[in-house]
Amino acid sequence: MKKIVWLAGILLLAVALTYLKLHILDQVPNINVTTITGQHIDLQQLRGKPVLVTFWATDCVSCVQEIPDLVGLYNRYHSQGFELIAIAMAYDPPNHVVELSHTMQLPYPITLDITGEYALAFGQVKLTPTTFLIAPDGSIVWQQTGKFALADLQARIESLLKG
């Protein structure tokens, strides 16, 4: 009986690892987003720049806690070519996203993932915050689900900016 339970556990682990591996991206997906201000952004046209894409929601405490750090990263590195795009999850009411972006005076582009297509394109993002760092060549070099460590992310961005 112990062998059956052990084998079932190994099989379950293998299935879980296969599932996770299928949903880890190595290249930025080919998507075009429209921000809440009407700006159109083609992620492929951002090649040549480091880009941070973060999936978030207004009801996600960790997401809201990260906003000051995201604003700081954007303000510090944007003039050097760094881009940041925040994608609000499909379940997030658009009026909440717009209101919070105005209240917190977010300087970076915000887009609504009304249909869930952006989360799907990034490997079926379901949890927030989920953040991707994209190198200038379009490769995804770092991904974090949950709050990020600011010093680590700054070092990664600086490394990409130096080439």
Side-chain angles (χ1 to χ4, degrees):
M1 184 65 169
K2 283 185 179 182
K3 276 188 177 182
I4 293 173
V5 171
W6 186 78
L7 288 172
I10 295 293
L11 180 62
L12 183 61
L13 180 61
V15 168
L17 289 174
T18 301
Y19 174 80
L20 288 173
K21 184 173 180 157
L22 290 174
H23 293 92
I24 294 175
L25 296 178
D26 59 354
Q27 288 289 315
V28 65
N30 187 16
I31 62 171
N32 298 296
V33 301
T34 302
T35 70
I36 60 174
T37 60
Q39 177 186 9
H40 299 283
I41 301 172
D42 179 349
L43 290 188
Q44 296 299 319
Q45 290 182 344
L46 295 179
R47 286 197 182 226
K49 300 178 177 190
V51 179
L52 193 72
V53 174
T54 185
F55 285 85
W56 68 294
T58 57
D59 66 351
C60 163
V61 174
S62 296
C63 300
V64 175
Q65 289 173 345
E66 281 184 342
I67 288 175
D69 290 336
L70 292 170
V71 170
L73 290 170
Y74 184 83
N75 288 338
R76 183 171 182 178
Y77 300 115
H78 182 67
S79 65
Q80 300 173 50
F82 171 72
E83 296 292 343
L84 192 159
I85 300 169
I87 301 176
M89 297 296 284
Y91 58 81
D92 208 355
N95 61 320
H96 292 186
V97 175
V98 171
E99 182 180 320
L100 187 123
S101 72
H102 287 120
T103 301
M104 296 191 79
Q105 299 178 357
L106 302 182
Y108 48 82
I110 308 287
T111 188
L112 304 169
D113 190 6
I114 301 292
T115 64
E117 69 179 293
Y118 307 145
L120 181 63
F122 270 89
Q124 297 184 355
V125 173
K126 295 188 186 321
L127 302 174
T128 57
T130 295
T131 307
F132 298 85
L133 182 60
I134 303 162
D137 68 359
S139 63
I140 296 175
V141 294
W142 177 84
Q143 177 182 341
Q144 174 75 37
T145 299
K147 286 180 74 174
F148 58 80
L150 180 59
D152 175 58
L153 186 52
Q154 281 179 305
R156 291 173 187 274
I157 293 168
E158 289 173 6
S159 174
L160 292 174
L161 287 168
K162 290 177 185 172

